[in-house]
Amino acid sequence: MARVGTADQSNGRSSSTAKSTPADARPRNRTLLLQALQADGPQSRADLARLSGLTPTTVSAVTAELISDGLIAEVGRKASTSAGKPATLLAVEPDGRHIIALDLSDDETIEAAVVNLGGKIVARRSLARKGETGKQAAQAIVRMIKEVARNVERPLLGIGVATPGIVDDDGVVLTAAHVQWTNEPLAARIATALGVPCYVTNDANAAVLAEYKRENGGENLMLVRVGVGVGAGIVLSGHLYVGDHFAAGEIGHVIVDDNGARCKCGRNGCLEAVVSAPLLAQRLSGVGHDDRATYLDQAGRHLGLALATLVGTLDLSEIVLSGPMDLLDDRFRIAVLETIGHRTLPAVGQHVNARFSSLGDDGVLLGAAALVLRRELGVV
């Protein structure tokens, strides 16, 4: 039976951990070795024993199983200055499995990609939305995945889907206004139709997972995605933080201007009503350089207003901005930083850095694939 769910997540509350049993050893040992190979590149079996803490006998047995499964391969000999036969190097086989990743964050198109175990996009597909909402939208997504899957030449590890909205641990979209979903069991629907594991997460959460994986830096990171809406993905101590109701980072409807424009939620002055990508595109169309700078400065300050409390509460020092680079520029980034600095303690604000995502438009797709890797193979 196909498994369903979402990314490894934390709501910030402690929980008891069940005692490990011998039955847990096999998947745990596979994960340890895959993590070592993914993080450090090709290694000999002796290296893997040292890195993982497993016995040489266990490493030999587990690597033989992983080779048989097509997940790793022998890739050559280790250079050696000592006498004797050089050790054989093992590495993750990038195309041992493929992943289908979907980005549902755009109102006009659905983006799909086939991603290998090395995080490389090997195929792409776009599908124009036809205004479907509710069950019809979910059915259209299933049809697209089936079309993509027919052309995948490698075994499928799973399917990752990133969508705007609030998504629970089981991959149920609790609410997504842009397609009028309420309690939509999207992961289960896709897993049943395709017969492979499916994981669903919020698009900003997917993007922050991809950024965290790519940068391999500190343990804490916040990514702010400016798209159809505005949302934040937050990694704390190496774990995706989703909150008590899976809504951590839902900042789009934080009111930043009491006298601001009417938002689609019915209130005035929501962040989404002044900073979203469609609105920025409309406001910046055809304007001169000075007017563009003024408007982006204003938009950045509104975003900074919404982020200052988060930064001050969590003591975050790294913020990644993700969105259409033809709309956002350094003036926007500087305005965000300046506003956070003015509205937090100097001990907090002076250490904050904001940068644009290194992944561009592919961040959400790569994050959707990353959550499949994390859940299926334990690889971060």
Side-chain angles (χ1 to χ4, degrees), residues 140-161:
I141 290 165
V142 169
R143 287 195 299 271
M144 182 181 190
I145 296 173
K146 286 182 175 180
E147 291 175 9
V148 173
R150 279 195 286 269
N151 295 311
V152 175
E153 298 178 353
R154 302 287 182 167
L156 269 179
L157 181 67
I159 298 164
V161 180

Side-chain angles (χ1 to χ4, degrees), residues 19 32 34 54 83 117 119-120 136 138 180 182 191 193 197 215 228 244 264 303 321 344 348 352 360 378:
K19 186 176 180 179
L32 284 172
L34 286 168
L54 299 175
L117 298 184
K120 178 183 178 181
Q136 287 70 35
Q180 299 177 25
T182 301
E215 294 302 318
V228 174
D244 287 341
K264 62 186 179 184
L303 179 56
L321 302 174
T344 57
V348 175
V352 178

Side-chain angles (χ1 to χ4, degrees), residues 33 216 260 276 341:
L33 299 188
N216 195 26
S276 69

Side-chain angles (χ1 to χ4, degrees), residues 207-208 211-212 215 220-226 231-233 303 307 317-323 333 353-359:
V208 78
E211 197 74 33
Y212 180 77
E215 294 302 318
N220 303 317
L221 177 68
M222 177 166 64
L223 180 142
V224 180
R225 180 163 172 78
V226 179
L303 179 56
L307 296 182
S317 59
E318 186 171 13
I319 299 171
V320 176
L321 302 174
S322 173
R333 183 188 67 84
N353 176 54
R355 60 178 175 82
F356 290 109
S357 171
S358 61
L359 298 173

Side-chain angles (χ1 to χ4, degrees), residues 69-121:
D69 288 346
L71 292 172
I72 68 173
E74 295 182 343
V75 293
R77 300 286 185 176
K78 183 177 181 179
S80 175
T81 58
S82 61
K85 185 179 179 181
T88 300
L89 291 173
L90 301 171
V92 172
E93 175 58 57
D95 293 306
R97 297 287 190 281
H98 281 172
I99 298 164
I100 294 177
L102 258 68
D103 176 2
L104 308 182
S105 62
D106 190 88
D107 272 349
E108 296 182 357
T109 60
I110 297 171
E111 299 295 335
V114 178
V115 184
N116 72 12
L117 298 184
K120 178 183 178 181
I121 294 177

Side-chain angles (χ1 to χ4, degrees), residues 26-372:
R26 177 175 170 273
R28 184 173 66 246
N29 292 343
R30 286 168 62 98
T31 294
L32 284 172
L33 299 188
L34 286 168
Q35 285 176 342
L37 291 172
Q38 193 84 344
D40 299 315
Q43 304 290 327
S44 69
R45 289 170 175 83
D47 292 332
L48 289 173
R50 176 177 50 82
L51 290 168
S52 67
L54 299 175
T55 67
T57 300
T58 299
V59 168
S60 293
V62 176
T63 53
E65 181 181 284
L66 291 171
I67 290 172
S68 177
D69 288 346
L71 292 172
I72 68 173
E74 295 182 343
V75 293
R77 300 286 185 176
K78 183 177 181 179
S80 175
T81 58
S82 61
K85 185 179 179 181
T88 300
L89 291 173
L90 301 171
V92 172
E93 175 58 57
D95 293 306
R97 297 287 190 281
H98 281 172
I99 298 164
I100 294 177
L102 258 68
D103 176 2
L104 308 182
S105 62
D106 190 88
D107 272 349
E108 296 182 357
T109 60
I110 297 171
E111 299 295 335
V114 178
V115 184
N116 72 12
L117 298 184
K120 178 183 178 181
I121 294 177
V122 297
R124 296 176 185 268
R125 175 81 183 273
S126 294
L127 176 70
R129 289 186 183 269
K130 299 177 181 178
E132 299 104 333
T133 59
K135 185 177 180 180
Q136 287 70 35
Q139 290 171 339
I141 290 165
V142 169
R143 287 195 299 271
M144 182 181 190
I145 296 173
K146 286 182 175 180
E147 291 175 9
V148 173
R150 279 195 286 269
N151 295 311
V152 175
E153 298 178 353
R154 302 287 182 167
L156 269 179
L157 181 67
I159 298 164
V161 180
T163 177
I166 299 172
V167 185
D168 74 8
D169 278 333
D170 296 318
V172 176
V173 184
L174 302 179
T175 177
H178 75 306
V179 285
Q180 299 177 25
W181 281 339
T182 301
N183 297 323
E184 165 58 40
L186 189 60
R189 187 187 297 277
I190 294 170
T192 299
L194 275 292
V196 296
C198 178
Y199 302 96
V200 179
T201 193
N202 169 271
D203 59 330
N205 288 344
V208 78
L209 284 176
E211 197 74 33
Y212 180 77
K213 176 179 171 68
R214 172 64 63 91
E215 294 302 318
N216 195 26
E219 290 293 284
N220 303 317
L221 177 68
M222 177 166 64
L223 180 142
V224 180
R225 180 163 172 78
V226 179
V228 174
V230 184
I234 304 168
V235 170
L236 297 177
S237 300
H239 296 282
L240 180 65
Y241 182 82
V242 298
D244 287 341
H245 305 98
F246 311 101
E250 288 291 327
I251 59 174
H253 297 286
V254 172
I255 294 176
V256 294
D257 183 358
D258 288 330
N259 299 313
R262 191 77 166 175
C263 180
K264 62 186 179 184
C265 75
R267 300 187 298 174
N268 292 326
C270 290
L271 179 63
E272 192 172 297
V274 294
V275 182
S276 69
L279 182 63
L280 286 173
Q282 179 183 353
R283 295 287 177 87
L284 297 177
S285 178
V287 302
H289 179 270
D290 290 343
D291 287 339
R292 177 187 175 88
T294 298
Y295 188 75
L296 284 174
D297 182 83
Q298 181 186 48
R301 292 186 184 282
H302 280 125
L303 179 56
L305 280 174
L307 296 182
T309 300
L310 270 175
V311 169
T313 300
L314 300 174
D315 188 22
L316 295 168
S317 59
E318 186 171 13
I319 299 171
V320 176
L321 302 174
S322 173
M325 295 309 297
D326 59 328
L327 299 177
L328 307 179
D329 63 17
D330 211 46
R331 178 64 262 171
F332 177 83
R333 183 188 67 84
I334 291 170
V336 171
L337 268 181
E338 289 179 345
T339 305
I340 291 172
H342 291 154
R343 292 178 175 270
T344 57
L345 281 172
V348 175
Q350 69 185 359
H351 298 295
V352 178
N353 176 54
R355 60 178 175 82
F356 290 109
S357 171
S358 61
L359 298 173
D361 293 336
D362 288 338
V364 174
L365 286 170
L366 293 175
L371 71 91
V372 177

